[in-house]
Amino acid sequence: MSDGKIIRWKCGCAYDGAPFEGWQSQRGGRAIQDVIESRLREIFGELIRVHASGRTDAGVHARGQVFHFDAAWKHGPEKLRAALRGGLPQQIQIKSVRAVPEDFHSRFSATGKLYLYHLYLGDADPFTRPYAWAIDRPRPLDIEAMKKGAAILRGKHDFRAFSALNGPPKEDTVRDLRRLEIAKRGRHVRIAAEADGFMYKMVRSLVGALVAVGEGKLAPDDLRELLKSGKRTTRVQTAPPRGLFLEKVFY
């Protein structure tokens, strides 16, 4: 361990989630957390735990994940960033490193998150397919119906029907969905979801439900009924992870 005062370091990172088993540490050591902690062990000579703003599932990507750790380092943040970047695989990028007050916490200090989900209408090429849900159907998605559905879902609601939580209600499932917007440009469709917090698979469930509306399997008003029911059913499909990006964490 380097001599000196223990400092809390806040780091911003981006990653391609495809080769990894999600963010959270796994026995096989193939989670993003495992890879970063392994690099920190090489730098500091001891186990240093990192704490992220939240977990991302296997196959989910990030442009703006945030994590923190505590360590003594006397050479400044840029040299720490260079040391971290030097031993990480190319699928993980350390974008920023800075010292923060000791009461900062990547998860508990966060006030909200922004996720982006990418759809592609048609048969996507090999460079688009890994990062979007390609929907190749004879009938095009009804984007206007999807926008009506998004308007119903926006706001403060109990989103239990759009989570993958199991068992009796233990967790508070009320969230303030500040933003749920759909933008289409050519064959590319982007769904932006911003809230004070998200539950397990909530964004992918919202996207799956909106796609079902676009396909005519659900009506926009069905989403209101699902919200009121508070129950997860097979009517809500979970969108594949490859189109989802954690874009930004707000503090």
Side-chain angles (χ1 to χ4, degrees):
M1 187 82 174
S2 300
D3 294 333
K5 180 184 175 183
I6 298 293
I7 297 171
R8 180 152 295 184
W9 299 99
K10 175 187 176 186
C11 305
C13 71
Y15 48 81
D16 178 344
F20 304 102
E21 297 176 0
W23 170 270
Q24 189 179 20
S25 181
Q26 302 290 327
R27 282 189 178 182
R30 286 302 300 163
I32 297 153
Q33 179 181 356
D34 294 318
V35 176
I36 293 173
E37 287 181 349
S38 176
R39 179 57 187 154
L40 286 171
R41 183 188 284 272
E42 292 172 353
I43 295 169
F44 292 98
E46 62 179 290
L47 175 63
I48 293 178
R49 289 290 183 200
V50 302
H51 305 271
S53 69
R55 308 167 187 172
T56 52
D57 295 331
V60 174
H61 316 291
R63 289 193 183 93
Q65 175 68 285
V66 175
F67 66 89
H68 79 265
F69 63 90
D70 297 332
W73 177 265
K74 55 186 179 181
H75 306 294
E78 279 307 309
K79 287 191 176 180
L80 179 53
R81 176 172 172 260
L84 270 168
R85 292 183 68 176
L88 291 175
Q90 62 180 0
Q91 295 91 347
I92 301 175
Q93 177 194 26
I94 303 299
K95 299 175 72 174
S96 63
V97 175
R98 69 183 181 93
V100 291
E102 62 181 15
D103 61 350
F104 171 85
H105 195 285
S106 296
R107 178 183 175 190
F108 300 119
S109 300
T111 59
K113 291 179 183 175
L114 170 64
Y115 282 91
L116 299 181
Y117 195 98
H118 297 272
L119 305 172
Y120 185 85
L121 307 180
D123 185 17
D125 64 41
F127 307 103
T128 301
R129 202 174 296 148
Y131 305 105
W133 181 8
I135 301 177
D136 193 9
R137 305 277 194 275
R139 179 182 172 187
L141 288 181
D142 186 339
I143 301 297
E144 291 308 310
M146 292 172 67
K147 288 181 178 179
K148 289 178 182 177
I152 290 168
L153 292 169
R154 279 195 297 270
K156 195 170 185 177
H157 307 287
D158 184 339
F159 283 99
R160 186 172 181 84
F162 295 89
S163 78
L165 299 174
N166 296 316
K170 295 179 182 178
E171 182 180 343
D172 179 10
T173 51
V174 174
R175 298 289 186 275
D176 184 5
L177 189 57
R178 305 164 183 162
R179 178 182 173 194
L180 187 61
E181 297 172 349
I182 301 167
K184 180 178 181 293
R185 185 174 182 178
R187 291 181 176 270
H188 296 269
V189 178
R190 191 185 76 177
I191 300 174
E194 180 187 330
D196 54 356
F198 291 94
M199 291 174 288
Y200 182 45
K201 294 187 179 177
M202 179 175 160
V203 180
R204 290 164 59 193
S205 298
L206 292 170
V207 171
L210 290 173
V211 168
V213 168
E215 292 176 327
K217 296 175 181 176
L218 291 175
D221 283 338
D222 290 336
L223 303 183
R224 185 177 283 111
E225 295 305 314
L226 286 166
L227 279 173
K228 290 179 181 177
S229 75
K231 294 180 181 178
R232 179 68 182 241
T233 73
T234 55
R235 301 178 77 192
V236 177
Q237 61 181 327
T238 303
R242 62 183 174 272
L244 184 59
F245 291 75
L246 172 56
E247 191 72 15
K248 187 173 183 180
V249 184
F250 299 97
Y251 292 97

